[in-house]
Amino acid sequence: MAAAAAGLSWRRVSSFTGPVPRSRHGHRAVAIRELLIIFGGGNEGIADELHVYNTVTNQWFLPAVRGDIPPGCAAHGFVCDGTRILVFGGMVEYGRYSNDLYELQASRWLWKKVKPQAPSNGSPPCPRLGHSFSLYGNKCYLFGGLANESEESNNNVPRYLNDFYELELQHGSGVVGWSIPVTKGILPSPRESHTAIVYCRKDVGSPKIYIFGGMCGCRLNDLWELDIETMTWSRPETKGTVPLPRSLHTANVIGNKMYVFGGWVPQSAGGEISAPDGEWKCTGSFSYLNLDTTEWIGLISDCQEDKSNLLPGPRAGHCAVAVGTRLYIWSGRDGYRKAWNNQVCCKDLWYLDTERPLAPSQVQLIRATTNSFQLKWDEVPTVEGYLLQLHADSPVPLVAGIPGTGIPETSVLSSQGGCSLHQSPQSMPSIPYAEMKVDHPSQTNNLIPNNVQVALSSSSKVEGKEKVAAPVNKVTQETMKNHTDATGFKESNAPSLLPVCASSSAQTSANIGELHDLDKQSVNPDASVSSTVSSTQTMVTQQAVKTEPSSTNGAVVKDETSLTTFNSKSEAAETAYVMPSTRVSTGQTNDSHSSRAPQRLPAPVKTRDRRWYDVGIFKNNSAVVSQFYLLPEETLNINSKMEGADVPDYRLLKKQDLFPGTVYRFRVAAINGCGVGPFSKISEFKTCIPGFPGAPSTVKITKSIDCIHLSWEPPASPSGNILEYSAYLAIRSTQLQENPSQLVFMRIYCGLKTSCIVTAAQLSNAHVDYTSRPAIVFRISAKNERGYGPATQVRWLQGKVTVTHSI
């Protein structure tokens, strides 16, 4: 089977919603984050609509465009610079070509016709189709194409071009003008329907443009290189089998590889055909060129035919777009039926994962209870799921078939979609991967509480470097009491400097929110960032914020996470752990493609035996963990194929509950069609100790002229009477200069009220945390008869907030 032989795992998208565009060829596509944006092409007329496909939700939609909407065109130039798209040239009707330039601001779906200045040393580009249009930096590079020498559109006199232009762009919007750069070396021969890509090695070398194939009366398979810095053309020597001559193919760069798919190729095996009307056919062949070694690697040959519908069929004039390391292919024509005198276009959408996914961010704690964790991690683009694992340092109970390892670890594959935050962990059923629901990304995941808010008065705006009134009196650090409460803090009756980092034996969880200083602006909800942590650093997670459409100019933080002290060692630095024998190596190079199910990385043995246990495979980037799966020896070889992944059948495995007051370590790996990727760095969290109060919630900050008002809601589970609350502010300290990773807190309030005022004098002594985005950090905790419970930490973002329009 061709797919298996090539080691590929193509997936056809069979389930999608929205208005699907009619099949076509000669269209163009680009990607903006997870969105495929498709314009133009033809099939029974030239299309003028702009279609968008969301690769996360599998939804097609037609945006409501406005402005100088361009006419439909085919075989045009189409490049993406951030969130703007440039369209140049193309065929607007049979025999009539264009040299107009249009700009689309995708953040507003606004079209604008732009008129660049003519070059000082020649004429602007003539109308054309089938040219290449490539972006690097603030310049687009135009090469070749096909012009019509006849003044009458019905009388087509083709002229192949090999002219070369630069188009300088203005930042954000608009263009400067065309120029004709002076180049060295021999220009590539005239051609159209070729491909051009830009590649720059990460370590050494200058950016280069690579041109491959095309049509010039005969089809070509030559490779040309242009050094952009020296403007020198050359023909690099290549190794391996060069793909057949072709035109109307696609070429895309992913990593250090140029993937070439499809196109028209000669019907004969002899190679080039001199006659323009020679026999030709569409191909489904697939190759890549390693741009570092200039070696061609064939993945699917022209002679391989796939009748099992596991590979994209032969086609030409299709579009191909890279989203991360995933390659998407849509539509195109599959041949020319001379008997029927019409073209047949494909309607299918395919994707291929070209590499294993990257490691996700460290697991972040949203909320801890005595026997469960609510966790999340940053999304990894274009993945099919996540494998979450844990281990603990206390003994795991013996299970039939498993000798006691001295390491208990606990957590469960639980409630992936609709679980309430306050739902009892025991009531959350374990759900196998195949039964999980996929939440629509635009909806709020119920696992993520929407309970941290900030309200800024409509008349106020805080600048990041705003100077606030008189400085606070110098506070000296007091000796802490010897006892440690549930927060991990050492308590002092007087206002004191509190180090965030606490003993690992103490309860150190805290709920973190992030409050933005906004002026009626909305921040893209996808902009979630996690700070880099060192081995003794406090982990702070920044959560996405969305402005409330109200007069209070408030911002709602989508979720809370916890502040905890842990060692952020990488998986390699952990030196590893013994894992069940079913896990085998996924150590494949970037030049290989796995059609097999995701496999597990083996872990080396540490002196102290530790075993990682599966929490489960999750569809989304969050999980409520109250159990984990034990793997007795007799079940290690019992596998069930779920979504193409060889994983244990969790329904056959025993589960272990989490214990109170226990430290657990977590790591997560992403899964795609190539298998399981590397695991994240390790995070360490501790379940709560029974009897202590929960964390305060729904924190609000309202700014006045000379102070801010800080308020919160009582904990949902007080575990008795609340005796007092304490609010803390991270302040500047000489200790921070010695150890920047360890924040120092001063208590600014202690009392029974669920609100307090933070004065300008206190704020003048605040430490602005730059671990990610600049923020002032507050922390609030509640105390009952047992002591202080976990704290809620809020990062109040400072400075100018960059607005990202969701598109």
Side-chain angles (χ1 to χ4, degrees), residues 619-640:
K619 200 72 173 170
N620 299 317
N621 62 323
S622 62
V624 174
V625 177
S626 61
Q627 297 175 316
F628 65 92
Y629 290 96
L630 299 174
L631 293 175
E633 296 297 332
E634 59 265 24
T635 64
L636 287 181
N637 295 319
I638 300 176
N639 291 328
S640 174

Side-chain angles (χ1 to χ4, degrees), residues 47 51 55 106 182 222-223 241 279 326 352 521 675 712 726 736:
H51 290 269
T55 60
V182 177
D222 48 350
L223 179 71
T241 303
E279 291 295 322
R326 178 175 287 182
L352 172 72
Q521 296 174 335
W712 56 90
S726 285
L736 272 172

Side-chain angles (χ1 to χ4, degrees), residues 494-547:
S496 59
L497 299 177
L498 296 177
V500 168
C501 292
S503 166
S504 62
S505 63
Q507 174 63 33
T508 58
S509 65
N511 297 316
I512 295 177
E514 186 174 85
L515 305 181
H516 290 251
D517 208 359
L518 298 174
D519 184 16
K520 295 184 180 179
Q521 296 174 335
S522 64
V523 180
N524 183 351
D526 291 332
S528 179
V529 183
S530 191
S531 65
T532 304
V533 290
S534 66
S535 61
T536 58
Q537 184 178 353
T538 297
M539 175 182 177
V540 177
T541 304
Q542 305 179 51
Q543 301 305 329
V545 176
K546 192 171 184 179
T547 303

